[in-house]
Amino acid sequence: MDSYLVYILAVWVIAIFRILPRRIGTWIIRFLGSCAYLLDSRHRHIADVNLRIAFPEFGKCERSRIARKSFQNTGMNLLEISKLSKLNNQNISSLAAYDPAQGIENYRAALAKGKGILYLTGHFSSWELLPTAHALHGYPLSFITRPLDNTPLEKYLLKIRESKGNHVINKKNSARPILKNLSSAGTVGILMDQNTSLQEGIFVDFFGVPAATTTSMALFALRTDAPVLPGYLTLMKNGRYAIKFLSPVEVVRTGDMNRDLEVNTRRFNELIENIIRQQPESWLWGHRRWKYQPPGNPPDLYALSEEELERFLKEVRASSRQKEVG
């Protein structure tokens, strides 16, 4: 389909969801998410493989339930994008408020260091809403995105994302603006839960299996001394969201830059893993997180049969246990 036609369709869909009552829009999104789960066999398979890797103890029914919820959750980002124009600093608390135990105090603790903040986050819950909600509570930020190939649609979404005071940094050639932002005690959000190219990342374990992971978060933290603040949204039973910030993370420094990048990137992966374990339905399971594998491992985990994947996972975990004992 022509990119401009896709743009027009997307604008119309967003406009329709903007005028729909939230309850009706939510029902439609969940219905469409369930349909997508049933019809999109490719991403359903990817989600199932990912869940087999992350939660080997889960049976087929539980994996299917989580994957279907994940499809629905991904769709909810469309609804939240469509509603952003209606949000302001007077009504944001009725939709997204800071968690009383893990919320604004952790943010303030990180801010008090005077080094800026690196927000560590991922594709949890309504990841499109999180920066807007934080900005409307009085704390605008910059965050990194990879531009869409559809230029008109990218410009349209950019305008929406920056409408409440945030600033979007293009992932390509982002190092300089990030360093400049942090040098003036600014704040920058980085989603680091997806597969990355081998030129931009390293292999570190994620749920016990090597995953190509960006080292950018560790690199910027080491260069600037900015604290790393894990943040994400949790969907509550009443349809509202809790904004959560964990305690700020101080980076490990051994004096060996390569070692420091590996150690800290592994720690950040562990933080993301823990969040996923707490709310697995909220994560983007349809992404090929383990797309690349180091030499010696099967080159494509998503092409393995169930028996081959199970055998590989047993070998990987047995090797990991041996290393821990050693």
Side-chain angles (χ1 to χ4, degrees), residues 142-217:
S142 298
F143 57 94
I144 316 303
T145 66
R146 186 185 71 81
L148 299 175
D149 295 330
N150 188 317
T151 303
L153 183 56
E154 171 62 25
K155 290 181 178 179
Y156 177 71
L157 291 177
L158 178 64
K159 184 176 180 180
I160 293 176
R161 287 166 170 164
E162 294 188 335
S163 63
K164 305 301 179 181
N166 291 325
H167 174 61
V168 174
I169 299 176
N170 189 322
K171 183 178 180 181
K172 186 178 181 180
N173 301 320
S174 61
R176 182 172 294 180
I178 291 173
L179 292 172
K180 181 179 180 181
N181 191 310
L182 293 173
S183 68
S184 58
T187 58
V188 180
I190 300 177
L191 291 92
M192 61 164 292
D193 62 335
Q194 292 196 306
N195 176 73
T196 191
S197 69
L198 301 184
Q199 291 75 32
E200 297 179 355
I202 59 175
F203 286 112
V204 293
D205 281 358
F206 191 53
F207 286 96
V209 176
T213 307
T214 178
T215 57
S216 60
M217 179 69 74

Side-chain angles (χ1 to χ4, degrees), residues 303-319:
L304 299 179
S305 67
E306 292 184 9
E307 293 76 14
E308 290 171 332
L309 179 62
E310 184 176 352
R311 184 162 56 249
F312 165 72
L313 293 177
K314 285 182 178 179
E315 293 172 355
V316 168
R317 292 185 175 109
S319 175

Side-chain angles (χ1 to χ4, degrees), residues 10-74:
V11 171
W12 273 100
V13 170
I14 290 174
I16 290 171
F17 277 105
R18 182 180 298 123
I19 63 176
L20 286 175
R22 173 171 286 274
R23 181 175 297 180
I24 295 176
T26 300
W27 185 91
I28 293 174
I29 287 292
R30 288 177 178 170
F31 173 75
L32 293 176
S34 295
C35 290
Y37 171 74
L38 294 173
L39 296 175
D40 189 348
S41 59
R42 177 174 176 269
H43 287 95
R44 186 173 68 243
H45 171 71
I46 291 171
D48 189 67
V49 171
N50 288 341
L51 283 160
R52 285 177 180 274
I53 293 171
F55 297 103
E57 69 275 18
F58 287 174
K60 182 177 180 180
C61 290
E62 180 66 0
R63 293 197 308 272
S64 297
R65 184 191 69 82
I66 292 173
R68 185 173 61 254
K69 289 285 188 180
S70 174
F71 274 63
Q72 294 174 346
N73 176 74
T74 301

